[in-house]
Amino acid sequence: MKTAKLTLDDWAVELPVTVGSEGEVGIGIQKLRAQTGAITLDSGYGNTGSCESEITFIDGEKGILRYRGYSIEDLAQNATFLEVAYLLVFGKLPSEDQLSGFNSELTKHSLLHEDMKKFFEGYPPNAPPMSVLSTIVASLSAYYAPGENEAELQLNIVRLLAKLKTVAAFSYKKSIGQPYIYPRNDLGYCADFLHMMFAVPSEDYTVSPLVAKTLDMLLILHADHEQNCSTSTVRMVGSSDANLFASISAGISALSGPLHGGANTAVINMLEKIQADGGNVRKYVELAQDKTSDFRLMGFGHRVYKNFDPRARVIKDLTHSVLEELGVDDPLLDIALKLERIALEEDYFVDRKLYPNVDFYSGILYRAMGIPTNMFTVMFSIGRLPGWIAQWMEMKNDPGKRIYRPRQIYTGPTEQKWVSIDDR
Ligand code: ACO
């Protein structure tokens, strides 16, 4: 077996090496502290592998993303979101029968318990849909058994996949004061979601097949991304044996931050700001390079992709064709294209390998589809759900599973004597 050698003061330790199926190398440090008293220090976990995983492969240098071995380009072109969800959660592409069974299970479970409507009523009218989404998902564990046996767990997986889009659409209807539209069994996954979002009881509403297809593709592109912030959160919460609903709710909260899933909203806000400021793109490209300002180009840069984000390429092409087909002329798209061109002429961005990421164009697509800005990260959550579930299951089924418990290097004061309040 291959090993790595580490020396520290008088210690010399041999560490086991694990090589993944794509040649990635991991140095095992599980026994490091016991052998040397030292730990590794890696703030932000940029060099820390937290698990072995069979789900998603990323090569950030080459711009490769594969779910269970299938390239993201291939899946975006040929698969449906439900096929990808099945692939991620169950480990292989479904047969025709498996897919139709999966589809009918998801259809059957898409209603919310009627009592849960009261929860939505309790939120203020302008409640951010992401806050509503994470709390309602957490509340599902008050309605359903925790999933302690296999049958219960499978049912909870189906329930979550089926109900998240209903919760998402209800949270939007709540935010605009319209009546909730119930799920329809005759519509596909994305068409049903769009119907719940945009239909009103007083009018006929037909979902555009182009919009439903585009949404399906966007969800595929977001379906998994190995050990990112929200996925690691889902695994970490689940490692304490917390139930699936609680773990996914925590993942939704982690996704809500502007450095993660909130970036697509931040991109639109940034483009609108540039537009309101006369469209002076160069000014903002310069500002992003100015270390005295905390302005960053939102939708640029990625912890893992240091060449290009393959999802961004698919989305960029999709954006052009969908906007053209829908007849949408969005000035923000022109600003985005200009911003990308000008930024990539600058050494600052090229040297740091900062390229548009998946969120740079996804917001423009969502706008063209009529999805409001405050729902963008909710859309991301719907897409990411199968990935979170697959990762949670893998963590749970790992024979070597232990509760996640990182260590730290303490840098605070050394021992102090208690000082009474009169003497402070
Ligand atoms: N604009 C300007 N400068 C940037 C940007 C940006 N968008 N991103 C990184 N940099 C600079 C940093 O200032 C730093 O410069 P320095 O070396 O001179 O100090 C260098 O590039 C490295 O940046 P880090 O913050 O160390 O990179 P990290 O890998 O930690 O962060 C992140 C990655 C969070 C995505 C970052 O690039 C960023 O903030 N981007 C904007 C937000 C965004 O688009 N997030 C979405 C990510 S995709 C997703 O979650 C689905």
Side-chain angles (χ1 to χ4, degrees), residues 7 88 128-129 142 206-207 230 303-304 316 336 354-356 401 403 413:
T7 54
L88 286 168
T206 310
V207 176
S230 57
R303 172 61 64 79
V304 177
K316 188 176 174 183
L354 301 170
Y355 298 93
K401 168 185 170 293
I403 188 166

Side-chain angles (χ1 to χ4, degrees), residues 237-406:
V237 173
S239 77
S240 74
D241 282 347
N243 68 56
L244 181 66
F245 302 120
S247 308
I248 300 293
S249 166
I252 295 171
S253 298
L255 189 72
S256 69
L259 295 187
H260 191 12
N264 50 16
T265 312
V267 170
I268 294 297
N269 293 340
M270 173 186 76
L271 295 175
E272 281 175 342
K273 190 171 161 194
I274 297 175
Q275 186 189 32
D277 198 15
N280 189 348
V281 167
R282 209 166 282 280
K283 173 177 158 188
Y284 286 88
V285 172
E286 273 161 25
L287 194 60
Q289 300 173 61
D290 179 356
K291 291 293 175 195
T292 61
S293 110
D294 58 7
F295 177 78
R296 282 187 167 199
L297 287 189
M298 298 316 288
F300 261 73
H302 197 278
R303 172 61 64 79
V304 177
Y305 295 119
K306 299 299 178 195
N307 188 345
F308 66 91
D309 180 339
R311 303 165 301 172
R313 283 201 172 163
V314 176
I315 287 196
K316 188 176 174 183
D317 292 346
L318 195 64
T319 308
H320 285 292
S321 59
V322 170
L323 263 64
E324 204 177 299
E325 267 192 71
L326 290 176
V328 174
D329 183 16
D330 189 345
L332 293 195
L333 177 61
D334 298 333
I335 295 178
L337 287 168
K338 202 165 161 194
L339 190 68
E340 180 183 356
R341 184 173 50 76
I342 293 178
L344 296 184
E345 284 165 2
E346 297 285 329
D347 289 346
Y348 176 96
F349 293 93
V350 176
D351 292 348
R352 288 172 180 73
K353 301 184 189 303
L354 301 170
Y355 298 93
N357 58 48
V358 66
D359 286 323
F360 192 65
Y361 287 103
S362 65
I364 294 173
L365 259 179
Y366 282 135
R367 266 163 67 95
M369 294 158 68
I371 309 268
T373 315
N374 66 353
M375 285 294 287
F376 289 179
T377 319
V378 171
M379 309 308 298
F380 193 157
S381 307
I382 299 175
R384 184 54 55 87
L385 181 63
W388 285 332
I389 293 174
Q391 300 273 351
W392 188 90
M393 295 281 289
E394 191 176 67
M395 176 277 306
K396 202 173 164 56
N397 293 331
D398 177 358
K401 168 185 170 293
R402 301 171 78 196
I403 188 166
Y404 277 34
R405 195 346 185 149

Side-chain angles (χ1 to χ4, degrees), residues 7-201:
T7 54
L8 173 71
D9 300 332
D10 296 337
W11 293 100
V13 283
E14 229 167 306
L15 301 165
V17 169
T18 302
V19 182
S21 53
E22 291 284 351
E24 290 168 305
V25 176
I27 300 172
I29 49 124
Q30 290 89 335
K31 300 213 167 94
L32 186 65
R33 190 167 178 276
Q35 288 175 328
T36 66
I39 60 167
T40 56
L41 191 58
D42 182 20
S43 71
Y45 305 130
N47 272 298
T48 298
S50 60
C51 59
E52 290 177 32
S53 179
E54 296 179 351
I55 302 170
T56 289
F57 172 67
I58 299 177
D59 183 329
E61 274 68 36
K62 295 194 185 132
I64 294 173
L65 168 62
R66 295 186 203 129
Y67 303 156
R68 307 268 188 200
Y70 297 96
S71 81
I72 194 64
E73 292 85 356
D74 221 0
L75 292 170
Q77 185 66 39
N78 300 306
T80 63
F81 176 60
L82 282 200
E83 276 178 293
V84 170
Y86 191 101
L87 171 71
L88 286 168
V89 174
F90 300 109
K92 58 182 177 48
L93 285 171
S95 66
E96 217 171 324
D97 281 354
Q98 286 166 330
L99 185 61
S100 99
F102 188 49
N103 186 27
S104 66
E105 280 295 295
L106 293 195
T107 304
K108 209 163 74 191
H109 289 279
S110 56
L111 277 171
L112 295 184
H113 193 293
E114 274 298 291
D115 286 359
M116 290 194 96
K117 283 200 327 203
K118 296 199 192 89
F119 293 7
F120 290 89
E121 280 151 29
Y123 286 101
N126 54 357
M130 274 302 267
S131 311
V132 178
L133 196 73
S134 66
T135 49
I136 300 272
V137 167
S139 312
L140 289 172
S141 56
Y143 283 82
Y144 302 109
E148 275 158 2
N149 61 53
E150 197 49 37
E152 256 178 35
L153 185 57
Q154 290 303 319
L155 192 52
N156 283 350
I157 289 173
V158 165
R159 282 178 175 135
L160 247 185
L161 286 165
K163 292 180 199 304
L164 194 72
K165 65 177 164 37
T166 314
V167 177
F170 277 26
S171 72
Y172 172 61
K173 287 297 197 191
K174 160 75 196 177
S175 74
I176 57 167
Q178 281 187 6
Y180 308 119
I181 302 293
Y182 282 53
R184 262 181 43 185
N185 290 0
D186 59 322
L187 296 175
Y189 195 86
C190 289
D192 185 31
F193 169 73
L194 292 165
H195 185 261
M196 287 191 280
M197 282 281 291
F198 298 121
V200 283

